[in-house]
Amino acid sequence: MNAAHVAPEDLALWVEGDLPEAQAAGVASHLAACPACRAEAEAIRASQAWLKEGEEPPFSPEERTALRAAVLLELASPRAQAWPSRSGWGALLAAAALVVLTLGLPLLRREPARVPPSLPAAAAAPAPEAQAGLNPPLTPTTPIRVRASRQPQPLASAPSPPGIRMEFRSPDPNIRILWLPRTPAGAPSDPPRTS
Amino acid sequence: MDSGVTHAINLAPVMEAQDRSGGAWDALVDRARVGDSQAFDELMGLTESRVLGLAWRILQDRDLARDAAQDTFLRAFRSLHTYRTGEAFPAWLCAIAVNVCRDLLRRRGPRPVDLEDLDHLPHAQDHPSAPEEAILRSQRRTLVQRALGALPEGERTALVLRDLQGFSTEDVARVLGVRPVTIRTQVASARLKLRAACERLIQPGGQP
């Protein structure tokens, strides 16, 4: 493109109104008389339209609710933060726990850490829970996740087989939330022992 | 070139959140600071679309984006004392989200994007009841998303904040802690790369 044309960078700014007014007017004036620059501007405008046509982020309302519930659950942990007052947390925590249990488990059950194991410890520091069995002390820079784990159990045909439990780990080692499904009346809570 | 498309992206929730007066944000933050959990829940509800969308477009990964959003809100909560009254809360929150995303990107490492892989586009046989235009639009979105993912992280973040999140150049500069001229340079470069990718991958009528 020779010097008589508008620089592509300026066209890229012009199509979205990012040039100063005087410079934008100069570009508009040039485009009126220059088919090549006009075509280039139209091409940029089209790709910008396709960019904005892009799909909505693929998160359902249930996922959003579960996300907020998981955050609230973490923040309600006694060591998670220093609220001056905790009034009002009880009801919200209960609601958050309920939401996580009913909506969020399928979302939270996956493995969150995708860090290659060869990364240096410092680089992987924000995912301390990836170290199984550790509940590190909470610090202001420690990301925390509410994670659900399912104890290895043999597959069973019943919808809620006995022996399944879901465990939420919080950063506080003293706090663990266990969810145990109610077993049908008369059903044993443990497999029958054989001797 | 005729784009042949309409702007399908729904920016209404984003704009609604952005247009809230500073006083409304400040009131919610003030309540959250003194322990009003409902206020923080409301802050999350008003901004979750923006945070999730930002993280998803920067990280190009649904699961990582969800992790990033959760970490963003946790960090934001612990940093509420640093929020200054009158500051734009969405911009303040997005600055945290960008940092969280960058941390995750550093941990994940580079992920190559194959722009030319046309085998994994949505195809009509996978969606027999969908109109042809819907399939084409879906293919186009996939290609544009890939082109976005192929941009350098800095340019991608600047472009997402400016063109998809609706921040002004000055606000993007504040969020990213750089000068506005840097944002203009990054955004212009990103738009030109995107335009080049679209020219290569998408026909003038909008057909991949």
PDB file of all heavy atoms in Angstrom, chain A residues 97-133:
ATOM      1  N   ALA A  97     -25.233 -24.081  49.856  1.00  0.00           N
ATOM      2  CA  ALA A  97     -24.921 -25.505  49.935  1.00  0.00           C
ATOM      3  C   ALA A  97     -25.964 -26.317  49.192  1.00  0.00           C
ATOM      4  O   ALA A  97     -25.650 -27.271  48.472  1.00  0.00           O
ATOM      5  CB  ALA A  97     -24.844 -25.941  51.397  1.00  0.00           C
ATOM      6  N   LEU A  98     -27.206 -25.922  49.362  1.00  0.00           N
ATOM      7  CA  LEU A  98     -28.288 -26.641  48.688  1.00  0.00           C
ATOM      8  C   LEU A  98     -28.146 -26.525  47.176  1.00  0.00           C
ATOM      9  O   LEU A  98     -28.291 -27.500  46.430  1.00  0.00           O
ATOM     10  CB  LEU A  98     -29.632 -26.083  49.141  1.00  0.00           C
ATOM     11  CG  LEU A  98     -30.863 -26.836  48.653  1.00  0.00           C
ATOM     12  CD1 LEU A  98     -30.867 -28.249  49.210  1.00  0.00           C
ATOM     13  CD2 LEU A  98     -32.133 -26.117  49.061  1.00  0.00           C
ATOM     14  N   VAL A  99     -27.820 -25.316  46.727  1.00  0.00           N
ATOM     15  CA  VAL A  99     -27.675 -25.110  45.281  1.00  0.00           C
ATOM     16  C   VAL A  99     -26.519 -25.926  44.741  1.00  0.00           C
ATOM     17  O   VAL A  99     -26.608 -26.571  43.699  1.00  0.00           O
ATOM     18  CB  VAL A  99     -27.469 -23.609  44.980  1.00  0.00           C
ATOM     19  CG1 VAL A  99     -26.990 -23.426  43.549  1.00  0.00           C
ATOM     20  CG2 VAL A  99     -28.764 -22.859  45.199  1.00  0.00           C
ATOM     21  N   VAL A 100     -25.415 -25.926  45.471  1.00  0.00           N
ATOM     22  CA  VAL A 100     -24.258 -26.702  45.009  1.00  0.00           C
ATOM     23  C   VAL A 100     -24.609 -28.170  44.941  1.00  0.00           C
ATOM     24  O   VAL A 100     -24.264 -28.881  43.995  1.00  0.00           O
ATOM     25  CB  VAL A 100     -23.053 -26.461  45.932  1.00  0.00           C
ATOM     26  CG1 VAL A 100     -21.950 -27.456  45.623  1.00  0.00           C
ATOM     27  CG2 VAL A 100     -22.533 -25.049  45.757  1.00  0.00           C
ATOM     28  N   LEU A 101     -25.332 -28.646  45.964  1.00  0.00           N
ATOM     29  CA  LEU A 101     -25.666 -30.068  45.985  1.00  0.00           C
ATOM     30  C   LEU A 101     -26.604 -30.448  44.852  1.00  0.00           C
ATOM     31  O   LEU A 101     -26.471 -31.502  44.248  1.00  0.00           O
ATOM     32  CB  LEU A 101     -26.319 -30.426  47.324  1.00  0.00           C
ATOM     33  CG  LEU A 101     -25.351 -30.500  48.501  1.00  0.00           C
ATOM     34  CD1 LEU A 101     -26.124 -30.675  49.790  1.00  0.00           C
ATOM     35  CD2 LEU A 101     -24.381 -31.647  48.317  1.00  0.00           C
ATOM     36  N   THR A 102     -27.537 -29.576  44.561  1.00  0.00           N
ATOM     37  CA  THR A 102     -28.542 -29.944  43.564  1.00  0.00           C
ATOM     38  C   THR A 102     -28.134 -29.592  42.144  1.00  0.00           C
ATOM     39  O   THR A 102     -28.446 -30.301  41.212  1.00  0.00           O
ATOM     40  CB  THR A 102     -29.881 -29.259  43.864  1.00  0.00           C
ATOM     41  OG1 THR A 102     -29.657 -27.854  43.972  1.00  0.00           O
ATOM     42  CG2 THR A 102     -30.471 -29.780  45.150  1.00  0.00           C
ATOM     43  N   LEU A 103     -27.413 -28.500  41.983  1.00  0.00           N
ATOM     44  CA  LEU A 103     -27.087 -28.058  40.626  1.00  0.00           C
ATOM     45  C   LEU A 103     -25.619 -28.205  40.290  1.00  0.00           C
ATOM     46  O   LEU A 103     -25.270 -28.494  39.154  1.00  0.00           O
ATOM     47  CB  LEU A 103     -27.454 -26.570  40.450  1.00  0.00           C
ATOM     48  CG  LEU A 103     -28.907 -26.200  40.555  1.00  0.00           C
ATOM     49  CD1 LEU A 103     -29.046 -24.697  40.434  1.00  0.00           C
ATOM     50  CD2 LEU A 103     -29.705 -26.885  39.464  1.00  0.00           C
ATOM     51  N   GLY A 104     -24.796 -28.004  41.270  1.00  0.00           N
ATOM     52  CA  GLY A 104     -23.397 -27.787  40.941  1.00  0.00           C
ATOM     53  C   GLY A 104     -22.526 -29.018  40.918  1.00  0.00           C
ATOM     54  O   GLY A 104     -21.429 -28.980  40.383  1.00  0.00           O
ATOM     55  N   LEU A 105     -22.982 -30.123  41.486  1.00  0.00           N
ATOM     56  CA  LEU A 105     -22.085 -31.264  41.593  1.00  0.00           C
ATOM     57  C   LEU A 105     -21.547 -31.736  40.249  1.00  0.00           C
ATOM     58  O   LEU A 105     -20.359 -31.978  40.110  1.00  0.00           O
ATOM     59  CB  LEU A 105     -22.784 -32.410  42.331  1.00  0.00           C
ATOM     60  CG  LEU A 105     -22.878 -32.174  43.835  1.00  0.00           C
ATOM     61  CD1 LEU A 105     -23.607 -33.341  44.488  1.00  0.00           C
ATOM     62  CD2 LEU A 105     -21.503 -32.016  44.437  1.00  0.00           C
ATOM     63  N   PRO A 106     -22.409 -31.858  39.242  1.00  0.00           N
ATOM     64  CA  PRO A 106     -21.852 -32.305  37.957  1.00  0.00           C
ATOM     65  C   PRO A 106     -20.814 -31.333  37.421  1.00  0.00           C
ATOM     66  O   PRO A 106     -19.927 -31.713  36.690  1.00  0.00           O
ATOM     67  CB  PRO A 106     -23.079 -32.362  37.040  1.00  0.00           C
ATOM     68  CG  PRO A 106     -24.234 -32.441  37.953  1.00  0.00           C
ATOM     69  CD  PRO A 106     -23.856 -31.693  39.188  1.00  0.00           C
ATOM     70  N   LEU A 107     -20.930 -30.070  37.798  1.00  0.00           N
ATOM     71  CA  LEU A 107     -19.995 -29.079  37.280  1.00  0.00           C
ATOM     72  C   LEU A 107     -18.716 -29.054  38.084  1.00  0.00           C
ATOM     73  O   LEU A 107     -17.656 -28.750  37.577  1.00  0.00           O
ATOM     74  CB  LEU A 107     -20.631 -27.683  37.340  1.00  0.00           C
ATOM     75  CG  LEU A 107     -22.045 -27.593  36.802  1.00  0.00           C
ATOM     76  CD1 LEU A 107     -22.608 -26.210  37.057  1.00  0.00           C
ATOM     77  CD2 LEU A 107     -22.051 -27.903  35.322  1.00  0.00           C
ATOM     78  N   LEU A 108     -18.836 -29.357  39.366  1.00  0.00           N
ATOM     79  CA  LEU A 108     -17.680 -29.206  40.236  1.00  0.00           C
ATOM     80  C   LEU A 108     -16.906 -30.502  40.402  1.00  0.00           C
ATOM     81  O   LEU A 108     -15.829 -30.511  40.955  1.00  0.00           O
ATOM     82  CB  LEU A 108     -18.133 -28.721  41.620  1.00  0.00           C
ATOM     83  CG  LEU A 108     -18.826 -27.376  41.621  1.00  0.00           C
ATOM     84  CD1 LEU A 108     -19.487 -27.120  42.958  1.00  0.00           C
ATOM     85  CD2 LEU A 108     -17.834 -26.277  41.314  1.00  0.00           C
ATOM     86  N   ARG A 109     -17.453 -31.599  39.894  1.00  0.00           N
ATOM     87  CA  ARG A 109     -16.843 -32.885  40.156  1.00  0.00           C
ATOM     88  C   ARG A 109     -15.608 -33.124  39.311  1.00  0.00           C
ATOM     89  O   ARG A 109     -14.793 -33.962  39.590  1.00  0.00           O
ATOM     90  CB  ARG A 109     -17.863 -33.991  39.890  1.00  0.00           C
ATOM     91  CG  ARG A 109     -17.509 -35.269  40.596  1.00  0.00           C
ATOM     92  CD  ARG A 109     -18.556 -36.305  40.311  1.00  0.00           C
ATOM     93  NE  ARG A 109     -19.826 -35.922  40.862  1.00  0.00           N
ATOM     94  CZ  ARG A 109     -20.988 -36.386  40.407  1.00  0.00           C
ATOM     95  NH1 ARG A 109     -21.025 -37.224  39.426  1.00  0.00           N
ATOM     96  NH2 ARG A 109     -22.121 -36.010  40.959  1.00  0.00           N
ATOM     97  N   ARG A 110     -15.487 -32.347  38.228  1.00  0.00           N
ATOM     98  CA  ARG A 110     -14.354 -32.567  37.345  1.00  0.00           C
ATOM     99  C   ARG A 110     -13.055 -32.131  38.004  1.00  0.00           C
ATOM    100  O   ARG A 110     -13.064 -31.440  39.005  1.00  0.00           O
ATOM    101  CB  ARG A 110     -14.553 -31.752  36.066  1.00  0.00           C
ATOM    102  CG  ARG A 110     -14.484 -30.320  36.389  1.00  0.00           C
ATOM    103  CD  ARG A 110     -14.912 -29.464  35.250  1.00  0.00           C
ATOM    104  NE  ARG A 110     -15.047 -28.129  35.743  1.00  0.00           N
ATOM    105  CZ  ARG A 110     -14.033 -27.372  36.057  1.00  0.00           C
ATOM    106  NH1 ARG A 110     -12.830 -27.827  35.907  1.00  0.00           N
ATOM    107  NH2 ARG A 110     -14.225 -26.173  36.520  1.00  0.00           N
ATOM    108  N   GLU A 111     -11.973 -32.521  37.399  1.00  0.00           N
ATOM    109  CA  GLU A 111     -10.673 -32.117  37.904  1.00  0.00           C
ATOM    110  C   GLU A 111     -10.408 -30.683  37.476  1.00  0.00           C
ATOM    111  O   GLU A 111     -10.380 -30.387  36.289  1.00  0.00           O
ATOM    112  CB  GLU A 111      -9.578 -33.026  37.331  1.00  0.00           C
ATOM    113  CG  GLU A 111      -9.556 -34.394  37.976  1.00  0.00           C
ATOM    114  CD  GLU A 111      -9.253 -34.323  39.459  1.00  0.00           C
ATOM    115  OE1 GLU A 111      -8.426 -33.504  39.859  1.00  0.00           O
ATOM    116  OE2 GLU A 111      -9.869 -35.087  40.216  1.00  0.00           O
ATOM    117  N   PRO A 112     -10.193 -29.778  38.370  1.00  0.00           N
ATOM    118  CA  PRO A 112      -9.980 -28.392  37.965  1.00  0.00           C
ATOM    119  C   PRO A 112      -8.565 -28.107  37.494  1.00  0.00           C
ATOM    120  O   PRO A 112      -8.359 -27.225  36.703  1.00  0.00           O
ATOM    121  CB  PRO A 112     -10.279 -27.608  39.246  1.00  0.00           C
ATOM    122  CG  PRO A 112      -9.956 -28.558  40.341  1.00  0.00           C
ATOM    123  CD  PRO A 112     -10.252 -29.941  39.799  1.00  0.00           C
ATOM    124  N   ALA A 113      -7.602 -28.844  37.978  1.00  0.00           N
ATOM    125  CA  ALA A 113      -6.230 -28.494  37.654  1.00  0.00           C
ATOM    126  C   ALA A 113      -5.814 -29.150  36.354  1.00  0.00           C
ATOM    127  O   ALA A 113      -5.939 -30.351  36.184  1.00  0.00           O
ATOM    128  CB  ALA A 113      -5.303 -28.931  38.780  1.00  0.00           C
ATOM    129  N   ARG A 114      -5.372 -28.328  35.411  1.00  0.00           N
ATOM    130  CA  ARG A 114      -4.901 -28.870  34.145  1.00  0.00           C
ATOM    131  C   ARG A 114      -3.448 -28.509  33.951  1.00  0.00           C
ATOM    132  O   ARG A 114      -2.983 -28.358  32.842  1.00  0.00           O
ATOM    133  CB  ARG A 114      -5.741 -28.306  33.013  1.00  0.00           C
ATOM    134  CG  ARG A 114      -7.178 -28.730  33.105  1.00  0.00           C
ATOM    135  CD  ARG A 114      -7.903 -28.226  31.912  1.00  0.00           C
ATOM    136  NE  ARG A 114      -9.189 -28.916  31.841  1.00  0.00           N
ATOM    137  CZ  ARG A 114      -9.948 -28.915  30.781  1.00  0.00           C
ATOM    138  NH1 ARG A 114      -9.566 -28.285  29.711  1.00  0.00           N
ATOM    139  NH2 ARG A 114     -11.096 -29.536  30.771  1.00  0.00           N
ATOM    140  N   VAL A 115      -2.777 -28.331  35.030  1.00  0.00           N
ATOM    141  CA  VAL A 115      -1.395 -27.907  34.947  1.00  0.00           C
ATOM    142  C   VAL A 115      -0.517 -29.129  34.739  1.00  0.00           C
ATOM    143  O   VAL A 115      -0.677 -30.137  35.423  1.00  0.00           O
ATOM    144  CB  VAL A 115      -0.983 -27.208  36.248  1.00  0.00           C
ATOM    145  CG1 VAL A 115       0.433 -26.703  36.145  1.00  0.00           C
ATOM    146  CG2 VAL A 115      -1.940 -26.088  36.544  1.00  0.00           C
ATOM    147  N   PRO A 116       0.358 -29.065  33.772  1.00  0.00           N
ATOM    148  CA  PRO A 116       1.258 -30.200  33.597  1.00  0.00           C
ATOM    149  C   PRO A 116       2.022 -30.447  34.889  1.00  0.00           C
ATOM    150  O   PRO A 116       2.481 -29.496  35.529  1.00  0.00           O
ATOM    151  CB  PRO A 116       2.196 -29.731  32.476  1.00  0.00           C
ATOM    152  CG  PRO A 116       1.468 -28.639  31.795  1.00  0.00           C
ATOM    153  CD  PRO A 116       0.580 -28.008  32.817  1.00  0.00           C
ATOM    154  N   PRO A 117       2.194 -31.690  35.282  1.00  0.00           N
ATOM    155  CA  PRO A 117       2.852 -31.977  36.555  1.00  0.00           C
ATOM    156  C   PRO A 117       4.297 -31.548  36.589  1.00  0.00           C
ATOM    157  O   PRO A 117       4.878 -31.419  37.647  1.00  0.00           O
ATOM    158  CB  PRO A 117       2.733 -33.503  36.684  1.00  0.00           C
ATOM    159  CG  PRO A 117       2.419 -33.991  35.309  1.00  0.00           C
ATOM    160  CD  PRO A 117       1.720 -32.883  34.608  1.00  0.00           C
ATOM    161  N   SER A 118       4.880 -31.288  35.430  1.00  0.00           N
ATOM    162  CA  SER A 118       6.284 -30.923  35.421  1.00  0.00           C
ATOM    163  C   SER A 118       6.512 -29.461  35.753  1.00  0.00           C
ATOM    164  O   SER A 118       7.644 -29.032  35.898  1.00  0.00           O
ATOM    165  CB  SER A 118       6.874 -31.217  34.044  1.00  0.00           C
ATOM    166  OG  SER A 118       6.178 -30.477  33.058  1.00  0.00           O
ATOM    167  N   LEU A 119       5.423 -28.687  35.897  1.00  0.00           N
ATOM    168  CA  LEU A 119       5.615 -27.269  36.182  1.00  0.00           C
ATOM    169  C   LEU A 119       6.277 -27.097  37.538  1.00  0.00           C
ATOM    170  O   LEU A 119       6.065 -27.877  38.450  1.00  0.00           O
ATOM    171  CB  LEU A 119       4.281 -26.540  36.194  1.00  0.00           C
ATOM    172  CG  LEU A 119       3.696 -26.179  34.845  1.00  0.00           C
ATOM    173  CD1 LEU A 119       2.389 -25.454  35.033  1.00  0.00           C
ATOM    174  CD2 LEU A 119       4.657 -25.308  34.075  1.00  0.00           C
ATOM    175  N   PRO A 120       7.084 -26.047  37.691  1.00  0.00           N
ATOM    176  CA  PRO A 120       7.670 -25.777  39.000  1.00  0.00           C
ATOM    177  C   PRO A 120       6.582 -25.533  40.028  1.00  0.00           C
ATOM    178  O   PRO A 120       5.498 -25.058  39.703  1.00  0.00           O
ATOM    179  CB  PRO A 120       8.497 -24.498  38.767  1.00  0.00           C
ATOM    180  CG  PRO A 120       8.521 -24.288  37.317  1.00  0.00           C
ATOM    181  CD  PRO A 120       7.477 -25.119  36.671  1.00  0.00           C
ATOM    182  N   ALA A 121       6.908 -25.838  41.256  1.00  0.00           N
ATOM    183  CA  ALA A 121       5.920 -25.708  42.326  1.00  0.00           C
ATOM    184  C   ALA A 121       5.409 -24.282  42.431  1.00  0.00           C
ATOM    185  O   ALA A 121       4.233 -24.041  42.650  1.00  0.00           O
ATOM    186  CB  ALA A 121       6.516 -26.153  43.639  1.00  0.00           C
ATOM    187  N   ALA A 122       6.291 -23.323  42.245  1.00  0.00           N
ATOM    188  CA  ALA A 122       5.862 -21.930  42.394  1.00  0.00           C
ATOM    189  C   ALA A 122       4.839 -21.561  41.336  1.00  0.00           C
ATOM    190  O   ALA A 122       3.869 -20.862  41.594  1.00  0.00           O
ATOM    191  CB  ALA A 122       7.066 -21.004  42.300  1.00  0.00           C
ATOM    192  N   ALA A 123       5.048 -22.074  40.118  1.00  0.00           N
ATOM    193  CA  ALA A 123       4.116 -21.740  39.050  1.00  0.00           C
ATOM    194  C   ALA A 123       2.767 -22.368  39.293  1.00  0.00           C
ATOM    195  O   ALA A 123       1.737 -21.840  38.898  1.00  0.00           O
ATOM    196  CB  ALA A 123       4.677 -22.203  37.710  1.00  0.00           C
ATOM    197  N   ALA A 124       2.769 -23.516  39.925  1.00  0.00           N
ATOM    198  CA  ALA A 124       1.515 -24.215  40.147  1.00  0.00           C
ATOM    199  C   ALA A 124       0.910 -23.874  41.494  1.00  0.00           C
ATOM    200  O   ALA A 124      -0.095 -24.437  41.871  1.00  0.00           O
ATOM    201  CB  ALA A 124       1.734 -25.720  40.052  1.00  0.00           C
ATOM    202  N   ALA A 125       1.508 -22.950  42.202  1.00  0.00           N
ATOM    203  CA  ALA A 125       1.065 -22.660  43.562  1.00  0.00           C
ATOM    204  C   ALA A 125      -0.412 -22.329  43.686  1.00  0.00           C
ATOM    205  O   ALA A 125      -1.038 -22.735  44.657  1.00  0.00           O
ATOM    206  CB  ALA A 125       1.900 -21.531  44.149  1.00  0.00           C
ATOM    207  N   PRO A 126      -1.039 -21.633  42.744  1.00  0.00           N
ATOM    208  CA  PRO A 126      -2.442 -21.292  42.930  1.00  0.00           C
ATOM    209  C   PRO A 126      -3.394 -22.469  42.938  1.00  0.00           C
ATOM    210  O   PRO A 126      -4.561 -22.275  43.073  1.00  0.00           O
ATOM    211  CB  PRO A 126      -2.728 -20.354  41.749  1.00  0.00           C
ATOM    212  CG  PRO A 126      -1.423 -19.812  41.371  1.00  0.00           C
ATOM    213  CD  PRO A 126      -0.455 -20.905  41.640  1.00  0.00           C
ATOM    214  N   ALA A 127      -2.923 -23.676  42.754  1.00  0.00           N
ATOM    215  CA  ALA A 127      -3.831 -24.818  42.815  1.00  0.00           C
ATOM    216  C   ALA A 127      -3.393 -25.786  43.898  1.00  0.00           C
ATOM    217  O   ALA A 127      -3.068 -26.929  43.640  1.00  0.00           O
ATOM    218  CB  ALA A 127      -3.893 -25.528  41.479  1.00  0.00           C
ATOM    219  N   PRO A 128      -3.335 -25.329  45.134  1.00  0.00           N
ATOM    220  CA  PRO A 128      -2.794 -26.185  46.184  1.00  0.00           C
ATOM    221  C   PRO A 128      -3.654 -27.403  46.443  1.00  0.00           C
ATOM    222  O   PRO A 128      -3.156 -28.413  46.893  1.00  0.00           O
ATOM    223  CB  PRO A 128      -2.754 -25.266  47.410  1.00  0.00           C
ATOM    224  CG  PRO A 128      -3.780 -24.229  47.142  1.00  0.00           C
ATOM    225  CD  PRO A 128      -3.797 -24.049  45.660  1.00  0.00           C
ATOM    226  N   GLU A 129      -4.954 -27.300  46.157  1.00  0.00           N
ATOM    227  CA  GLU A 129      -5.809 -28.429  46.457  1.00  0.00           C
ATOM    228  C   GLU A 129      -5.532 -29.601  45.548  1.00  0.00           C
ATOM    229  O   GLU A 129      -6.021 -30.697  45.773  1.00  0.00           O
ATOM    230  CB  GLU A 129      -7.280 -28.029  46.390  1.00  0.00           C
ATOM    231  CG  GLU A 129      -7.778 -27.762  44.982  1.00  0.00           C
ATOM    232  CD  GLU A 129      -7.402 -26.374  44.522  1.00  0.00           C
ATOM    233  OE1 GLU A 129      -6.543 -25.734  45.155  1.00  0.00           O
ATOM    234  OE2 GLU A 129      -7.964 -25.930  43.520  1.00  0.00           O
ATOM    235  N   ALA A 130      -4.738 -29.349  44.484  1.00  0.00           N
ATOM    236  CA  ALA A 130      -4.405 -30.455  43.601  1.00  0.00           C
ATOM    237  C   ALA A 130      -3.554 -31.484  44.327  1.00  0.00           C
ATOM    238  O   ALA A 130      -3.445 -32.622  43.911  1.00  0.00           O
ATOM    239  CB  ALA A 130      -3.668 -29.935  42.373  1.00  0.00           C
ATOM    240  N   GLN A 131      -2.927 -31.051  45.418  1.00  0.00           N
ATOM    241  CA  GLN A 131      -2.155 -32.007  46.189  1.00  0.00           C
ATOM    242  C   GLN A 131      -3.122 -32.741  47.104  1.00  0.00           C
ATOM    243  O   GLN A 131      -3.616 -32.186  48.072  1.00  0.00           O
ATOM    244  CB  GLN A 131      -1.098 -31.279  47.017  1.00  0.00           C
ATOM    245  CG  GLN A 131      -0.184 -30.412  46.163  1.00  0.00           C
ATOM    246  CD  GLN A 131       0.662 -29.523  47.032  1.00  0.00           C
ATOM    247  OE1 GLN A 131       1.169 -29.971  48.045  1.00  0.00           O
ATOM    248  NE2 GLN A 131       0.787 -28.278  46.655  1.00  0.00           N
ATOM    249  N   ALA A 132      -3.354 -33.954  46.767  1.00  0.00           N
ATOM    250  CA  ALA A 132      -4.388 -34.708  47.460  1.00  0.00           C
ATOM    251  C   ALA A 132      -4.114 -34.752  48.955  1.00  0.00           C
ATOM    252  O   ALA A 132      -2.997 -34.947  49.402  1.00  0.00           O
ATOM    253  CB  ALA A 132      -4.447 -36.115  46.902  1.00  0.00           C
ATOM    254  N   GLY A 133      -5.173 -34.560  49.700  1.00  0.00           N
ATOM    255  CA  GLY A 133      -5.080 -34.715  51.139  1.00  0.00           C
ATOM    256  C   GLY A 133      -4.600 -33.488  51.865  1.00  0.00           C
ATOM    257  O   GLY A 133      -4.543 -33.487  53.090  1.00  0.00           O
TER     258      GLY A 133
END
